[in-house]
Amino acid sequence: MQSPHRSLGPTRRSLLLGAGATALTTAAAGTLPAAASAATGDSTAAGGVPAAGTVASAGGAASPAAVPSPDELPLTGGAEFTIGLFWPPHPYASTAERYAEIRSAGFDFIISGNYAGDGNIFQYQLDLARTAGLQMLISDDIQIRNMSRWFSISDNTADFLSVTPAEASALYIRARDAYGPYSSLAGFNLYDEPGAGWFGTLAKAVAISRELAPGLLPYINLLPSDDPAYYRTFVDVVKPSLISFDRYPLLSENREDANYFHNWAIIRDAALHGDIPSWVFIQTLAYNNHREPTAAELLWQINISLAYGAKGIQYFTYWTPEAARGEGFGPALITVDGRRTPRYAAAQKINTTWLHQVGRELKPLVSESVAHANETPLPNGAVGFTPINLVTGVSGSSVVIGTFRSRDTTSADRWLLVANRSHSARAQAVVTPNQQTVASVGLFQPASQTYTARPVAPIPFDLAPGAATLVKLGAK
């Protein structure tokens, strides 16, 4: 198999663009390098990827590309609630058995990493993912890194830390044509945790992706931040297909990150502002100043995120990063040497018996409000419960209630995700529906994916640590 990073000849910018740089000016003019698809044997290309050897328009980002609905893209579209992971098995451990193990734990997609940075390795892993029924977001491909991370995108060729829009398009084409023939390709990880100063270049990179591969997901994960402007600016400037962030709330000495809920509140606001899905990473391991989560704490992170409107959950990490990285990583779902930890079994149970099922219910709904009931003092950024049209009161233990509505604005029905505020103690709470406005009450049963009817009367909840229940309130 020929590497997609083969050298095709030098140009004036080849040293800047790195090993395997293509003849960019030729590609920009519309004559592209031969696609690597001939060596793959996979005739099914990723959805919406133009055929190798074609380009939408020379210059890539010269004219605005259409912004596809998240409903039309891999991972964000469709009925399924997608669950992903970062730091998959390293190249030597990338086997059919290991990828089947990932799928068995209820995961849907992989964000590549763990020292996979070679084009041949990516192709090999894409093939494994396809066989296992997984999708992949590729990180660390040199062409994508050159177009969206190592260099800015600028028309000023005197800036030797930049590539032109035409050159960026040619770099993207090389990656697209190398991996696009694999149906398991979901998209590319353009940048992880960019500063706001990088948003202009990322806007151009996203536009290039949409023009040249409208069926692939241009993925960017953001920093944790307590600054609403960071996320609002990202949405307004980059015009992303989703907003993803990482913030790990389980600190050492049994502490919680005091601003975790504040960060979620401003992420939720930015997602609603852009009418895009919000995704989050959850913490699976101990590292510097963070503790090893229990099974209940994994579930708690997920249910709090769902209450705040999350439409995708990602695990950090799946495979354990080795000690040489210097961040004090403890065991994740799989140890450094490939053994399952108790968190693998916990994640498998959560993913396969709860998250996929409740996620299918919540994915098409719109987050309307998030309230913390019976909690004093309120965490930073949290809003206390006040009665709404369909609910007159909440009593008992502290719970977080996410309220959701249908996208059909004529429907007055509401869904409530009632989540235990505690990850260490049971919660017993009572939610009182308004008998003047509520016609029916249904409790979601994940095993059957149906709602069990109950009287329109106060609803008692007995929630295990970290657990949640979904309720549908039919309006009169």
Side-chain angles (χ1 to χ4, degrees):
M1 180 186 296
Q2 189 176 34
S3 169
H5 297 156
R6 63 198 182 281
S7 177
L8 297 178
T11 72
R12 66 179 177 82
R13 303 172 74 79
S14 61
L15 291 177
L16 294 173
L17 294 170
T22 183
L24 297 172
T25 53
T26 301
T31 304
L32 304 181
S37 58
T40 68
D42 185 0
S43 61
T44 305
V49 180
T54 66
V55 61
S57 65
S63 57
V67 178
S69 165
D71 296 338
E72 301 169 356
L73 292 170
L75 306 182
T76 56
E80 295 300 314
F81 186 98
T82 50
I83 307 171
L85 62 87
F86 180 62
W87 216 247
H90 57 75
Y92 286 118
S94 292
T95 64
E97 292 76 17
R98 285 298 187 186
Y99 275 58
E101 183 177 47
I102 291 170
R103 187 61 175 159
S104 178
F107 290 100
D108 304 295
F109 72 96
I110 292 169
I111 303 172
S112 70
N114 203 351
Y115 304 106
D118 175 87
N120 288 326
I121 293 173
F122 288 137
Q123 290 176 335
Y124 174 67
Q125 291 178 330
L126 283 164
D127 189 53
L128 291 174
R130 176 183 57 187
T131 301
L134 295 163
Q135 293 185 285
M136 281 187 64
L137 291 169
I138 290 183
S139 302
D140 300 331
D141 175 77
I142 193 170
Q143 314 301 335
I144 299 299
R145 284 218 159 197
N146 281 337
M147 73 163 285
S148 64
R149 184 179 180 103
W150 299 136
F151 304 102
S152 63
I153 301 175
S154 171
D155 287 311
N156 180 10
T157 57
D159 179 0
F160 287 104
L161 291 177
S162 71
V163 293
T164 67
E167 291 167 333
S169 294
L171 288 167
Y172 187 89
I173 288 165
R174 286 182 58 76
R176 180 202 70 185
D177 289 353
Y179 312 122
Y182 290 91
S183 56
S184 51
L185 177 67
F188 293 101
N189 183 2
L190 299 182
Y191 204 121
D192 184 51
E193 299 186 329
W198 209 252
F199 290 171
T201 279
L202 288 174
K204 296 171 186 175
V206 167
I208 287 169
S209 172
R210 287 174 174 152
E211 182 181 13
L212 298 176
L216 294 180
L217 178 65
Y219 172 88
I220 300 161
N221 179 64
L222 298 177
L223 288 158
S225 176
D226 299 312
D227 179 9
Y230 172 63
Y231 300 110
R232 276 286 189 120
T233 302
F234 174 74
V235 169
D236 290 338
V237 172
V238 178
K239 295 180 171 43
S241 297
L242 61 87
I243 184 167
S244 173
F245 80 114
D246 52 67
R247 187 158 192 154
Y248 305 120
L250 305 171
L251 306 181
S252 58
E253 300 175 349
N254 212 37
R255 296 171 298 134
E256 277 183 16
D257 182 335
N259 285 326
Y260 181 62
F261 295 106
H262 180 242
N263 206 156
W264 243 126
I266 58 181
I267 281 284
R268 175 181 171 274
D269 175 77
L272 291 172
H273 171 68
D275 193 22
I276 54 176
S278 59
W279 287 10
V280 68
F281 280 91
I282 68 160
Q283 173 187 342
T284 71
L285 76 176
Y287 69 100
N288 291 348
N289 298 316
H290 290 73
R291 68 179 180 270
E292 179 177 285
T294 64
E297 288 172 335
L298 291 180
L299 182 60
W300 178 82
Q301 292 177 81
I302 287 167
N303 282 328
I304 292 298
S305 299
L306 292 176
Y308 273 82
K311 304 299 185 185
I313 295 290
Q314 305 156 99
Y315 283 67
F316 178 87
T317 63
Y318 178 78
W319 202 273
T320 302
E322 75 291 341
R325 297 189 66 85
E327 296 179 68
F329 288 112
L333 274 60
I334 306 291
T335 64
V336 172
D337 56 356
R339 292 177 290 108
R340 296 181 186 182
T341 71
R343 280 167 301 291
Y344 175 90
Q348 183 180 49
K349 181 179 180 181
I350 293 168
N351 294 345
T352 60
T353 68
W354 169 250
L355 182 51
H356 271 302
Q357 291 83 351
V358 75
R360 290 188 195 104
E361 296 297 306
L362 293 173
K363 187 175 182 180
L365 303 178
V366 179
S367 175
E368 186 173 60
S369 66
V370 186
H372 290 233
N374 311 318
E375 184 172 6
T376 305
L378 286 170
N380 184 30
V383 175
F385 173 80
T386 55
I388 59 176
N389 183 45
L390 299 182
V391 179
T392 60
V394 182
S395 62
S397 304
S398 297
V399 289
V400 179
I401 300 179
T403 305
F404 302 85
R405 63 170 176 81
S406 169
R407 285 195 173 272
D408 177 2
T409 56
T410 64
S411 173
D413 295 346
R414 292 296 184 269
W415 289 256
L416 308 179
L417 187 75
V418 182
N420 190 342
R421 170 63 180 87
S422 175
H423 41 64
S424 59
R426 298 192 75 88
Q428 293 182 327
V430 176
V431 173
T432 302
N434 185 343
Q435 294 184 343
Q436 303 303 312
T437 58
V438 175
S440 63
V441 174
L443 300 184
F444 180 65
Q445 307 298 323
S448 60
Q449 293 189 247
T450 59
Y451 289 87
T452 299
R454 57 159 292 117
V456 181
I459 310 166
F461 293 88
D462 184 7
L463 300 171
T469 297
L470 180 63
V471 184
K472 181 178 180 181
L473 301 179
K476 287 184 177 179

